[in-house]
Amino acid sequence: QAPVIESGGGSVQTGGSLRLSCAPSGRTFVSYAMGWFREAPGKEREIVAAISRKDGTTYYGDHVKGRFTISRDKAKDTSYLEMNALKPEGTAVYHCAGETNTCTHAYGFWGQGTQVTVSS
C-alpha cells in the first residue's frame, strides 16, 4: 500500500482550476516536507511545490509561481495543491511524496498519483 494517497485530479479546460489532496494511507513514515511533483509523457519528473512540516515554508517551481498554492492541514497530516490558470502543459500525473533528507532534498514515500488533463 502506498504511504500517501493523492486525489482531486481530473480534466479541465485551459484556465481552469483543480485542487489536489495528499493524505496518509495509514502507513507511518517520517518526512521533513511534503512535495508535489508531476510527470508528463516523455518528460522527466519535475517538482511543482513543497511545504515544510516544521514551519510551513513553501517552495514553488518557476513554472507554477503565482498560479499554484500549496498548503497543509497539520491535524489531518494532509497537503493540498490549489492549481489555478491551468495550461495544457500542466497535463501530467501529479504525485506527492515526503522529503526524507533535508540536505539532498531526496523524496520517498511516493503516492500512485492522480491524473490532471488540461485541454486547450
Side-chain angles (χ1 to χ4, degrees), residues 4 23 106:
V4 294

Side-chain angles (χ1 to χ4, degrees), residues 58-71:
T58 57
Y59 166 85
Y60 294 95
D62 288 340
H63 49 288
V64 303
K65 283 181 180 177
R67 299 186 296 119
F68 289 14
T69 301
I70 189 171
S71 61

